[in-house]
Amino acid sequence: MKIKPKLQKKTIKPSKNSVFHRRLDYQYPVIDHGKGIYLYDESGKKYIDAVGGALVANIGHGVKEISQAIAKLTKRFGFIHASQFTTRHMEEYAKELCRIAPKGLNKVYFTLGGSDSVETAIKLARQYHYDLGNKGKYKIIYTYPSYHGATLGALAVTPKKSFREIYEPYLAKHPKIPSYFCYRCPFKKTYPGCDMECAWELEKTIKKNGANKIATFIIEPIVGASAGAVVPPKEYFPIVRKICDKYNILLIADEIMSGFGRTGKWYACQHFGLEPDILISGKGISGGLVPLSAVFCTDKIFQAIKKGTGNFSHGFTYVNNVITTGVGKAVLEYVKNKKLVDNCAEKGKYLYSKLCGLAKEFEIIGDVRGKGLMTAIEFVKNRKTKEPFPRKLHLAERILQTAMKKGLNLYFCLGFADGVNGDAIMVAPPFAVTKSEIDKIIKILSDSIREIQKTL
Ligand SMILES: Cc1ncc(COP(=O)(O)O)c(C=O)c1O
């Protein structure tokens, strides 16, 4: 008797299975494998991963060179504790990373993900001041909109109400200021005739709280998922850098999303000549293959801690890990050899021009923004007034769902216009994307917008 092969179910409902999924209201497609910018589910359906998950799968899926590197590493090493041993490849990798980082960053502490990197960075800033005898400096100035992570320290400097609300009793209080956001200027001004009020707000807030209380200012050099690829005006960071220096405040650049080549330079800071005191890089630094991130700092910070307490009073089991740093090194070599950062810059221009084309076609697209392969489109009800769609319409989510049905994976950004409303979609494909693949992305995106626009 011939036994029929059992067909796998196309999707999985979180309530029916044992995994505690991130989304409990969603039917998960079950992915079988990936190749390049594509993912394939168990029924054979093909998806273009036009955001590399969440700007993580930067070298694409199923990369042979990296799977070989992982096999070699795991043959040679098991777990090695960071307080007991080091390895040659980790030492070399750190040097190579510092060489391509913004000037002045010459020490690197390897972490796991973005949130624990933010914890590491803010503790590093605090210990720097503590070790120099400035024990009153502990507050962190942060911006809105922004996203810095889900752990309690990172959430304390992440402004979004819906993320914070439940955990508010756990969160330390820190001062927040409006971010640069020219399309929706918080001061209702128009660049360039705005005197960069958003940057000077930092100084006002320092004076209000007392410089002797402020340890650090944390900011994304290009705002990621909280508002969708918002790029600062060129004057912003020179002003902010000067203010931080004047009041002895360390500047943390959160490049978890924008870093490691995504914007067409190794780091977004390098577009603006910004030399931060601490920089964090994650997501695509390992191509998403292992949990790896990096916290860079200057020698000034390292020496203050060495001469002060003597050690950084911090650590996780998996920091400075032999396997993850080995994978990171292989990914760095791959990105360099294939000149993928240059491809981000070049294909980014093409993608941006195509998104501008969509904005000509659809009245509901109010803004196109971004740098390199980190781009977004914002939807508005009224182009003139920039009035957002009411949140209850779930516009961005519906466009995303429609695109997913058509085989395109995108990323949405919500609530940035006024804390509740605001719909944007990010398009940020893997670095080796070709022009014809961008054309395919734009075609499905355009069909999806058209389909939803009809229902408005
Ligand atoms: C700018 C930024 N910082 C921090 C994080 C937190 O990273 P993770 O989700 O890896 O903890 C994210 C995640 O999206 C991010 O975009």
Side-chain angles (χ1 to χ4, degrees), residues 22 54 112-116 118 147-150 220 222 224-225 254-258 280 283 293 411:
R22 277 191 68 163
L112 290 85
S115 304
D116 63 286
V118 171
Y147 182 71
H148 295 295
E220 292 170 81
I222 291 180
D254 180 349
E255 294 229 33
I256 291 295
M257 191 171 259
S258 61
I280 59 176
K283 293 196 186 272
S293 294
Y411 201 84

Side-chain angles (χ1 to χ4, degrees), residues 371-384:
K371 251 205 191 320
L373 285 177
M374 182 173 178
T375 65
I377 46 178
E378 179 178 338
F379 298 95
V380 286
K381 196 171 167 198
N382 184 323
R383 253 196 193 171
K384 265 201 189 124

Side-chain angles (χ1 to χ4, degrees), residues 88-99:
R88 187 63 56 200
H89 72 249
M90 182 165 67
E91 299 294 332
E92 285 167 7
Y93 176 46
K95 268 203 185 118
E96 283 174 45
L97 277 182
C98 289
R99 225 172 274 140

Side-chain angles (χ1 to χ4, degrees), residues 429-446:
F431 292 2
V433 71
T434 62
K435 282 186 177 174
S436 71
E437 287 169 338
I438 291 175
D439 292 343
K440 282 185 201 161
I441 294 170
I442 295 294
K443 168 83 175 69
I444 302 178
L445 178 57
S446 158

Side-chain angles (χ1 to χ4, degrees), residues 150-258:
T151 52
L152 296 177
L155 192 57
V157 294
T158 291
K160 197 165 175 178
K161 192 168 165 240
S162 60
F163 293 162
R164 295 174 63 105
E165 205 161 10
I166 299 171
Y167 308 106
E168 202 66 61
Y170 293 152
L171 304 180
K173 301 270 173 280
H174 296 290
K176 68 172 186 235
I177 61 172
S179 179
Y180 55 84
F181 194 173
C182 294
Y183 182 67
R184 295 196 170 278
C185 176
F187 303 97
K188 310 273 177 258
K189 292 192 166 176
T190 306
Y191 177 80
C194 58
D195 298 327
M196 296 308 299
E197 205 166 329
C198 53
W200 292 111
E201 193 64 21
L202 176 64
E203 186 168 46
K204 279 190 201 156
T205 304
I206 294 168
K207 285 183 175 162
K208 200 167 133 199
N209 284 269
N212 59 343
K213 293 261 186 326
I214 311 288
T216 183
F217 174 49
I218 185 165
I219 185 155
E220 292 170 81
I222 291 180
V223 180
S226 64
V230 180
V231 180
K234 63 181 187 315
E235 295 85 350
Y236 183 83
F237 278 111
I239 297 173
V240 154
R241 178 69 269 183
K242 271 195 196 132
I243 296 171
C244 286
D245 288 343
K246 183 172 168 191
Y247 297 99
N248 185 23
I249 287 165
L250 296 181
L251 197 159
I252 300 174
D254 180 349
E255 294 229 33
I256 291 295
M257 191 171 259
S258 61

Side-chain angles (χ1 to χ4, degrees), residues 83-137:
S83 67
Q84 295 158 356
F85 300 101
T86 187
T87 56
R88 187 63 56 200
H89 72 249
M90 182 165 67
E91 299 294 332
E92 285 167 7
Y93 176 46
K95 268 203 185 118
E96 283 174 45
L97 277 182
C98 289
R99 225 172 274 140
I100 57 172
K103 213 173 125 211
L105 299 171
N106 53 12
K107 289 278 184 281
V108 52
Y109 189 95
F110 293 107
T111 40
L112 290 85
S115 304
D116 63 286
S117 302
V118 171
E119 302 290 332
T120 303
I122 59 184
K123 285 175 79 176
L124 198 54
R126 163 66 183 159
Q127 192 173 339
Y128 165 78
H129 291 298
Y130 183 97
D131 280 347
L132 287 180
N134 298 316
K135 295 189 178 168
K137 272 169 128 27

